[in-house]
């Protein structure tokens, strides 16, 4: 290649690197400094790196520094050479996912050729970043007893709360709802091998399920200054294994059987007639993975297959059956020393029978789920010089599935007086492909004594959606709990959401001080496509065919997000660090925001009073009473292609400002402790109000007006299922003279904000001297400042969003109430996430003769239990609202604890070239039986009797899992 062509190629790479954003990291970095035995820096030292992949070389700069970027996690060897000095071979240099490994290499003068081998541990502390979370190594993933899915790993992370407790797989096969620091469940990010795969329809969720043995490491990030982090919630970054010059692999089988499961039904549940709790009917988890070199030092291949059959027994006796099948493959190439490339493929298929079955969803109303997710990805990295590095990638992910009701489509769904569904349920089909271009670039230079690493990038992601939601039978269902009938029209939605982002950041190093400063830019927008929704089969005159021509969404978000932080080492060995940072994050735009003013973007429905005159549990036209409320449709113009919903033209993205301060202490090279205090403010939160209505239009209503039993302070009394009074709501407000079109305004709630204050303590001991451990404790205070209340009624959001009650899961009109991190409507309907404290501690010790003993202990404060009374106030969409009883922190569930244990024995095979490990895990060893979920609807089902406190989910009982693994 001529010099001119080389420079042209380099310029093209620079243009690409500057025009493509950084994906979430699937690698780590090594930063080193070489000095003589007097501490003087040594420029011009030749540095060779060997280990995972082919050899790489570098030369130290004027500050004696070198760096190797974009390295696969694993162990490396660094060798330094300089004329007149003894060569140094530094072994066991560990690279972790998303982390910077810093090494200092002293070189001594030597008159003869000699090599000094150093095997000491590299430091645990990372002075180049300020971020919170934890990276789970391969040792933690394989040695600590877990239910073997990413949601359990999330729960083990400081500052992350989940909506369920997975006992050895009793909750596997379905996603957990979870939150990070001061955010809701929509602001999480999922990444596999550098591909952002976050489901932007079930915003913040994962589009698929995983083979746990495919992962090399997992990184959970809950905050920090890295401008590549896009969300204020939890960023989960998972990297799969890869081939190396040494052939390696494993095969495994894990069996969990109900015969080795205890019983733990609490007396409270027995009194309610519950004879079976959530538990395991049977789980079989097996698979294999292997990798090696196709061409030594140049091409490597890895592949894996996993299959899990998860049969769960649910409270009430229903069965949930899930089959997960995953195929993964990765081809790594290094044609020349300066260039590496990766091709990655993933296919995850889920077949589930009985999804969402439970006490209020009998078997016939549960869903059967099917549909695979596929991911294709290619990337290329180029080292142009010792001071310039760039990486680019393209990926395609497709997630399509359906939820088919087991009761079929030929019957109408019904809810009885206790809120229990019967006959069948809603049908849902969807297709959600995503295209993404991503990358980053780094350049190194010095200005005097200050070192710089300048990072920059720009990128694009496109998320498409098509979906159908339809109620079975006549498209209508009877709600006997609220004496109403709901007439529906299908949702037939097609939309696209686009994400453009760019960032620039500089890492400045000055002796013991490191400063990170950067800014991120996000541009998010979407468009609705044309669609046709058919008329209601039974009442076409009320809900006719709706033809929508499509149109651009009015939601466009543009945000600059500054990030700055500093670390200061108190000594030359950098074993004591002080840290402080400020970061701003913008929320990610969900498809629901884009389709909010799409008339076919929701299941349109009309609620009518209903009397079953002939007692046949079916709907006849003469049994309809007056209109109660309408949602996502204007009753006066039900077939209009213009949505009654309106988007505020000045709608802004919610933002989160984060301030942190803390410190880390490395006690030993393999043992470190740390403490971080985080203060967050989230504002510009989106809520929904009635078009043309202001707070001053509401008037207070009496209990007689809303049809409830009056308390002593003008509110409504709430009852549990035994007839015990739980408490009284606050005042009820309504719009008795409302005559609008039922449209909602999507806008930012004036003056509203949430505040989060949290203290995190962590201890990390990596595997050495036969033991390892990781522990964390988090204490939080997470509240809301109500700002302006559209509806002055203090309410609980228990029916999903959009909703006129304000922010999801919060108390609409109560200052300093705890904030619900998400009420999990799509996954677990009565879990309101908010604990003031939580902890997780795990450890493993290696005994002689190949025996290992490991344990994991988890605990948290019980979540809030916000009781409410459903009241009917008027003919607007506010016709049924959930008036809160007391403050959101007035009632809490019991505290939750779980201890898991593992004993395993490894036996060498073929002269220790392979080994077989047999294991037994005991989950919930103390056989705890904490109630996880119970009804919080205290409305009167009959005079003086409600449905509150009926148990829905109980912590699964103690169970044994037997396993065997062969590795080579």
């Amino acid at each position: 290649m001529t010099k001119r062509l080389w420079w042209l190629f380099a310029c093209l790479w620079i243009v690409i690197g500057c025009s493509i954003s950084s994906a979430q990291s699937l690698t780590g970095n090594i930063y080193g400094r070489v000095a003589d035995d007097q501490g003087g820096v040594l420029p011009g030292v030749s540095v060779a790196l060997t280990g995972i992949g082919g050899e790489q070389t570098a030369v130290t700069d004027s500050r004696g520094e070198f760096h190797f970027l974009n390295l696969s996690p694993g162990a490396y060897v660094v060798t330094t050479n300089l004329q007149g000095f003894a060569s140094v071979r530094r072994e066991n240099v560990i690279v972790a996912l998303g982390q910077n490994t810093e090494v200092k290499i002293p070189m001594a003068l030597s008159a003869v050729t000699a090599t000094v081998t150093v095997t000491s541990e590299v430091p645990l502390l990372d002075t180049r970043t300020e971020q919170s979370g934890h990276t789970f190594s391969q040792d933690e993933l394989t040695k600590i007893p877990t239910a073997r899915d990413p949601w359990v790993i999330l729960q083990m992370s400081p500052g992350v709360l989940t909506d369920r407790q997975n006992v050895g797989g009793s909750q596997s096969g379905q996603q957990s709802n979870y939150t990070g620091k001061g955010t809701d469940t929509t602001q999480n990010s999922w990444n596999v091998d550098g591909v952002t795969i976050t489901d932007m329809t079930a915003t913040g969720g994962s589009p698929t399920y995983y083979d746990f043995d495919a992962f090399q490491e997992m990184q959970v990030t809950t905050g920090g200054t890295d401008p590549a982090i896009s969300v204020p919630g939890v960023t989960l970054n998972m990297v799969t294994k890869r081939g190396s010059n040494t052939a390696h692999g494993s095969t495994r089988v894990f069996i969990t059987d109900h015969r080795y499961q205890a019983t733990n039904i609490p007396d409270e549940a027995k009194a309610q007639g519950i004879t079976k709790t959530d538990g395991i009917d049977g789980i079989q988890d097996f698979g294999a993975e292997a990798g090696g070199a196709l061409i030594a030092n140049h091409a490597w291949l890895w592949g894996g297959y996993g299959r899990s059959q998860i049969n769960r027994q649910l409270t009430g006796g229903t069965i949930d059956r899930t089959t997960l099948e995953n195929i993964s493959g990765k081809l790594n190439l290094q044609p020349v020393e300066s260039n590496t490339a990766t091709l990655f493929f993933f296919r995850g298929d889920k077949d589930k029978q009985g999804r969402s079955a439970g006490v209020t969803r009998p078997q016939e109303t549960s869903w059967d789920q099917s549909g695979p997710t596929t991911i294709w990805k290619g990337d290329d990295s180029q080292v142009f010089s010792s001071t310039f590095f760039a990486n680019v990638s393209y990926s395609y992910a497709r997630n399509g599935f359906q939820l088919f009701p087991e009761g079929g489509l030929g019957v109408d769904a019904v809810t009885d007086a206790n809120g229990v569904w019967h006959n069948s349920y809603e049908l849902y089909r969807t297709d959600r492909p995503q295209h993404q271009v991503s990358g980053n670039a780094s350049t190194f230079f010095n200005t005097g004594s200050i070192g710089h690493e300048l990072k920059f990038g720009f990128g694009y992601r496109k998320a498409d959606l098509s979906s159908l939601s339809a109620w079975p039978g006549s498209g209508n269902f009877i709600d006997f709990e609220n004496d109403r009938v709901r007439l529906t029209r299908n949702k037939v939605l097609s939309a696209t959401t686009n994400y453009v982002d760019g960032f620039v950041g500089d890492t400045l190093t000055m002796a013991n001080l490191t400063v990170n400063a950067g800014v991120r830019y996000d541009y998010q927008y979407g468009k609705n496509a044309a669609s046709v929704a058919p008329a209601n089969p039974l009442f076409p005159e009320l809900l006719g065919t709706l033809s929508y021509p499509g149109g651009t969404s009015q939601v466009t978000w543009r945000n600059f997000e500054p990030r700055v932080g500093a670390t200061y080492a108190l000594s030359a060995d950098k074993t004591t660090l002080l840290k402080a940072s400020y970061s701003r994050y913008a929320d990610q735009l969900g498809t629901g925001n884009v389709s909010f003013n799409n008339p076919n973007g929701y299941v349109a429905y009309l609620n009518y009073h209903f009397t079953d005159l002939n007692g046949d549990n079916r709907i006849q036209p003469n049994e309809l009473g007056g209109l109660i409320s309408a949602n996502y449709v204007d009753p006066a113009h039900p077939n209009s292609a213009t949505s009654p919903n309106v988007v505020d033209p000045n709608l802004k993205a919610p933002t989160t400002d984060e301030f942190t301060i803390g410190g880390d202490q490395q006690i030993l090279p393999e043992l470190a402790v740390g403490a971080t205090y985080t203060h967050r403010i989230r504002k510009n939160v989106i809520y929904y109000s009635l078009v043309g209505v202001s707070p001053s239009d509401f008037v207070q209503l009496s209990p007689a007006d809303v049809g409830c039993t009056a308390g002593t302070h003008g509110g409504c009394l709430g009852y549990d299922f035994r007839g015990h009074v739980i408490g009284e709501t606050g005042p009820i407000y309504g719009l008795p003279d409302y005559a609008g079109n039922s449209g909602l305004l999507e806008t930012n709630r004036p003056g509203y904000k949430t505040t989060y204050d949290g203290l995190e303590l962590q201890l990390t001991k990596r595997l050495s001297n036969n033991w390892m451990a990781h522990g964390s404790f988090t204490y939080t205070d997470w509240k809301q400042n109500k700002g302006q209340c559209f509806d002055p009624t203090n309410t609980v959001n228990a029916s999903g969003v959009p909703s006129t009650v304000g922010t999801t899961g919060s108390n609409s009109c109560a200052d300093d109430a705890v904030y619900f991190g998400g009420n999990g409507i799509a996954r677990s309907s009565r879990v309101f996430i908010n604990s003031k404290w939580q902890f997780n501690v795990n450890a493993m010790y290696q005994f002689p003769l190949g025996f290992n003993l490991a344990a994991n202990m988890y605990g948290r404060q019980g979540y809030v239990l916000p009781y409410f009374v459903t009241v009917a106030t008027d003919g607007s969409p506010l016709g049924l609202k959930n008036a809160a009883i007391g403050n959101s922190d007035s009632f809490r569930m019991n505290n939750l604890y779980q201890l898991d244990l593992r004993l395993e024995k490894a036996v060498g095979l073929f002269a220790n070239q392979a080994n077989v490990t047999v294991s037994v895990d005991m989950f919930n060893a103390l056989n705890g039986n904490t109630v996880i979920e119970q009804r919080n609807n205290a409305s009167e089902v009959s005079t003086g009797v409600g449905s509150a406190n009926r148990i829905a989910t109980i912590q699964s009982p103690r169970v044994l899992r037997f396993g065997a693994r062969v590795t080579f």
Side-chain angles (χ1 to χ4, degrees):
M1 181 182 293
T2 66
K3 186 174 182 180
R4 180 175 297 179
L5 286 175
W6 168 254
W7 278 108
L8 177 61
F9 179 63
C11 290
L12 287 173
W13 261 95
I14 293 172
V15 170
I16 294 173
C18 292
S19 64
I20 302 174
S21 161
S22 170
Q24 301 303 318
S25 174
L26 70 155
T27 58
N29 308 309
I30 293 177
Y31 294 88
R33 184 174 184 269
V34 183
D36 60 26
D37 49 11
Q38 303 299 313
V41 300
L42 291 177
V45 177
S46 297
V47 185
L49 180 74
T50 56
I52 308 298
E55 180 176 321
Q56 299 184 45
T57 60
V59 177
T60 58
D61 62 15
S62 61
R63 289 162 36 110
E65 295 178 349
F66 65 91
H67 46 264
F68 294 101
L69 307 184
N70 201 38
L71 301 175
S72 298
Y76 290 83
V77 175
V78 177
T79 304
T80 59
N81 289 281
L82 182 64
Q83 183 70 33
F85 289 79
S87 299
V88 176
R89 175 183 170 89
R90 182 69 179 268
E91 297 180 343
N92 198 38
V93 178
I94 303 299
V95 172
L97 176 61
Q99 303 294 304
N100 301 306
T101 299
E102 300 182 55
V103 294
K104 292 192 298 184
I105 301 179
M107 298 185 70
L109 290 168
S110 176
V112 297
T113 302
T115 299
V116 178
T117 300
V118 181
T119 58
S120 60
E121 298 277 5
V122 297
L124 277 173
L125 302 186
D126 184 353
T127 66
R128 300 181 67 89
T129 61
E130 302 86 34
Q131 68 181 32
S132 55
H134 182 66
T135 297
F136 292 85
S137 66
Q138 178 67 194
D139 288 330
E140 288 177 275
L141 296 179
T142 57
K143 300 298 184 182
I144 301 300
T146 72
R148 295 174 50 81
D149 75 28
W151 291 272
V152 175
I153 300 300
L154 285 165
Q155 187 186 60
M156 296 166 61
S157 307
V160 181
L161 293 168
T162 62
D163 69 342
R164 63 196 65 194
Q165 190 65 19
N166 194 333
V167 179
S170 64
Q171 296 290 330
S172 294
Q174 192 59 36
Q175 296 190 38
S176 296
N177 232 4
Y178 65 97
T179 67
K181 302 176 180 178
T183 61
D184 60 49
T185 57
T186 66
Q187 297 308 309
N188 300 318
S189 177
W190 286 78
N191 307 271
V192 176
D193 272 35
V195 180
T196 300
I197 60 171
T198 312
D199 191 332
M200 303 312 298
T201 300
T203 313
S206 169
T208 188
Y209 299 81
Y210 307 93
D211 173 13
F212 197 72
D213 271 19
F215 296 120
Q216 178 68 26
E217 290 188 354
M218 295 186 185
Q219 181 191 33
V220 180
T221 303
T222 55
T225 59
D226 186 352
I229 297 175
S230 61
V231 296
V234 181
T235 298
L236 179 60
N237 191 18
M238 303 173 286
V239 61
T240 56
K241 298 174 181 177
R242 55 158 291 171
S244 64
N245 285 331
T246 302
H248 60 84
S250 66
T251 182
R252 94 282 177 166
V253 59
F254 292 96
I255 302 295
T256 313
D257 192 275
H258 68 274
R259 291 175 296 177
Y260 302 102
Q261 183 171 246
T263 58
N264 68 340
I265 304 174
D267 292 339
E268 180 185 0
K270 293 178 181 177
Q272 296 182 29
I274 295 176
T275 59
K276 293 183 178 180
T277 62
D278 278 28
I280 294 171
D281 186 60
I283 299 177
Q284 300 86 41
D285 175 358
F286 60 88
E289 54 85 20
L294 295 177
I295 304 175
N297 298 316
H298 292 289
W300 306 267
L301 182 65
W302 172 86
Y305 171 81
R307 189 179 191 276
S308 297
Q309 180 61 49
I310 305 166
N311 296 337
R312 299 168 49 215
Q313 172 188 283
L314 307 182
T315 299
T318 53
I319 298 296
D320 178 311
R321 296 179 176 87
T322 303
T323 304
L324 303 178
E325 191 171 36
N326 294 276
I327 302 172
S328 306
K330 183 185 292 184
L331 174 65
N332 292 89
L333 301 170
Q334 189 172 345
V336 295
E337 179 184 316
S338 63
N339 186 271
T340 59
T342 303
L343 296 175
F344 172 72
F345 170 77
F346 169 87
R347 185 182 191 275
D349 200 0
K350 173 181 177 179
D351 185 270
K352 188 178 186 73
Q353 309 296 309
R355 173 173 171 174
S356 298
V359 173
T360 60
R361 293 276 300 276
Q363 200 73 46
E364 75 273 11
T365 68
S366 66
W367 282 308
D368 290 345
Q369 178 177 346
S370 61
T373 294
T374 55
I375 301 170
W376 292 90
K377 178 232 178 169
D379 71 66
D380 192 81
S381 299
Q382 176 68 39
V383 179
F384 292 101
S385 69
S386 61
T387 61
F388 186 74
F389 164 87
N391 168 268
V392 295
S393 70
Y394 167 77
S395 63
Y396 171 73
R398 185 161 191 168
N399 174 29
F401 65 93
Q402 80 164 0
L403 304 176
F404 193 88
E406 289 195 355
L409 303 180
V411 293
D412 289 349
V414 174
T415 57
D416 64 23
N418 292 313
V420 178
W421 289 89
H422 297 283
N423 298 343
S424 192
Y425 203 72
E426 185 180 22
L427 167 73
Y428 182 69
R429 293 193 182 108
T430 186
D431 188 30
R432 306 170 184 177
Q434 294 192 44
H435 297 265
Q436 180 180 188
V437 182
S438 60
N440 60 69
S442 295
T443 183
F444 296 82
F445 60 94
N446 300 323
T447 55
S449 62
I450 302 175
H452 299 264
E453 181 183 0
L454 189 65
K455 302 176 183 179
F456 47 93
F458 180 82
Y460 175 72
R461 179 161 61 113
K462 177 175 176 282
D464 295 322
L465 166 68
S466 61
S467 67
L468 165 69
S469 295
W471 283 92
S474 65
N476 312 298
F477 63 82
I478 305 172
D479 178 4
F480 283 110
E481 184 179 22
N482 295 296
D483 294 321
R484 63 175 178 171
V485 66
R486 177 169 291 185
L487 314 182
T488 74
R489 178 170 55 208
N490 295 352
K491 177 182 81 173
V492 184
L493 174 62
S494 181
T496 297
T497 311
N498 300 273
Y499 306 87
V500 181
D501 62 85
F503 71 88
V504 61
D506 191 9
T507 300
L508 300 88
T509 54
M510 299 159 279
N512 287 10
L513 176 66
T514 302
V515 176
N516 285 283
V519 63
R520 177 183 176 88
Y521 174 74
D522 281 293
Y523 172 39
Q524 306 175 77
Y525 61 98
K527 182 178 181 180
N528 291 297
S531 60
V532 177
N536 182 283
L538 195 58
F539 296 95
E541 71 282 6
L542 297 177
L543 289 171
T545 300
L546 196 156
S547 298
Y548 173 59
T552 301
S553 170
Q554 298 177 36
V555 181
T556 301
W557 291 349
R558 297 180 176 89
N559 294 90
F560 283 98
E561 302 140 63
R563 315 268 173 96
V564 61
T567 65
Y568 184 78
L570 295 183
S571 59
D573 58 7
K574 298 184 179 182
T575 57
T576 303
L577 298 181
L578 300 179
K579 295 184 176 184
S581 68
Y582 163 75
S583 300
R584 169 167 287 188
Y585 305 91
D587 275 17
Q588 58 187 352
L589 178 65
T591 306
N593 297 109
V594 173
S595 60
F596 176 72
N597 60 347
N598 182 331
N600 281 335
Y602 301 92
V603 176
Y605 60 85
L606 302 172
N607 289 322
Y608 282 87
H609 289 291
F610 172 76
T611 303
D612 191 10
L613 297 176
N614 58 8
D616 64 353
N617 290 341
R618 298 180 65 84
I619 304 166
Q620 281 79 37
N622 65 320
E623 295 176 331
L624 294 186
L627 179 68
I628 300 174
S629 62
N631 277 60
Y632 317 121
V633 62
D634 180 357
H637 306 283
N639 306 323
S640 172
T642 300
S643 172
N645 292 346
V646 177
V647 177
D648 183 346
N650 298 314
L651 183 72
K652 300 176 181 178
T655 57
T656 298
D657 290 299
E658 176 189 83
F659 304 85
T660 70
I661 187 170
D664 297 319
Q665 175 67 52
Q666 182 172 302
I667 301 172
L668 298 169
E670 68 277 6
L671 175 63
V673 296
T676 303
Y677 168 73
T678 301
H679 175 69
R680 281 187 164 195
I681 302 173
R682 191 163 185 244
K683 54 190 178 182
N684 291 331
V685 175
I686 294 174
Y687 86 135
Y688 304 88
S689 61
L690 285 170
V691 173
V693 176
S694 68
S696 62
D697 294 324
F698 286 83
V699 297
Q700 185 172 347
L701 304 174
S702 70
D705 294 328
V706 299
C708 69
T709 300
T712 57
H713 302 286
C716 297
L717 291 180
Y719 301 86
D720 71 7
F721 71 97
R722 295 185 180 91
H724 299 154
V725 174
I726 291 176
E728 181 180 346
T729 72
I732 310 296
Y733 296 85
L735 300 167
D737 300 322
Y738 177 78
N741 69 353
S742 304
L744 297 178
L745 171 66
E746 183 180 38
T747 186
N748 301 108
R749 184 169 178 175
Y752 180 90
K753 66 179 181 180
T754 64
T755 59
Y756 173 93
D757 291 276
L759 175 64
E760 293 178 14
L761 307 176
Q762 278 204 81
L763 176 148
T764 300
K765 166 66 172 66
R766 68 180 162 210
L767 182 58
S768 64
N769 300 319
N770 298 321
W771 72 285
M772 69 177 185
H774 175 249
S776 65
F777 175 82
T778 308
Y779 182 83
T780 66
D781 185 18
W782 187 10
K783 294 181 177 179
Q784 66 172 13
N785 184 316
K786 66 182 180 182
Q788 176 179 305
C789 295
F790 170 70
D791 177 355
T793 309
N794 188 25
T795 59
V796 173
N797 182 5
S799 57
V801 290
S803 170
T804 53
V805 302
T807 46
T808 305
S810 70
N811 273 44
S812 169
C813 211
D815 244 338
D816 293 326
V818 301
Y819 181 76
F820 309 149
N823 56 0
I825 290 301
R827 301 182 178 99
S828 187
S829 60
R830 284 172 294 275
V831 176
F832 297 82
I833 301 173
N834 185 297
S835 287
K836 293 184 178 179
W837 57 264
Q838 70 174 116
F839 69 87
N840 194 93
V841 180
N842 61 61
M844 187 274 292
Y845 188 82
Q846 296 175 324
F847 290 91
L849 304 178
F851 285 97
N852 298 332
L853 180 64
N856 187 80
M857 181 71 182
Y858 173 79
R860 63 163 172 80
Q861 183 189 31
Y863 288 153
V864 293
L865 182 62
Y867 293 105
F868 65 85
V869 174
T870 300
V871 295
T873 59
D874 48 65
S876 73
L878 300 177
L880 293 173
K881 67 179 66 172
N882 301 315
I885 297 175
N887 189 285
S888 59
D889 202 18
S890 298
F891 308 93
R892 281 188 177 269
M893 310 282 282
N894 291 333
N895 298 340
L896 175 70
Y897 303 94
Q898 182 169 311
L899 173 65
D900 302 328
L901 302 172
R902 168 179 290 178
L903 178 65
E904 63 180 20
K905 172 70 167 72
V907 178
L909 302 173
F910 309 113
N912 291 324
Q913 295 301 305
N915 69 70
V916 58
T917 302
V918 293
S919 63
V920 58
D921 296 286
M922 178 184 291
F923 297 99
N924 192 11
L926 303 179
N927 207 29
N929 57 1
T930 303
V931 174
I932 305 294
E933 181 183 359
Q934 66 190 64
R935 290 183 65 85
N936 58 323
N937 187 344
S939 305
E940 291 181 88
V941 177
S942 60
T943 304
V945 177
S947 59
N949 291 336
R950 288 195 177 276
I951 293 173
T953 306
I954 301 168
Q955 183 180 8
S956 299
R958 178 176 57 240
V959 68
L960 298 181
R961 180 178 70 194
F962 300 93
R965 182 191 301 274
V966 177
T967 60
F968 63 90

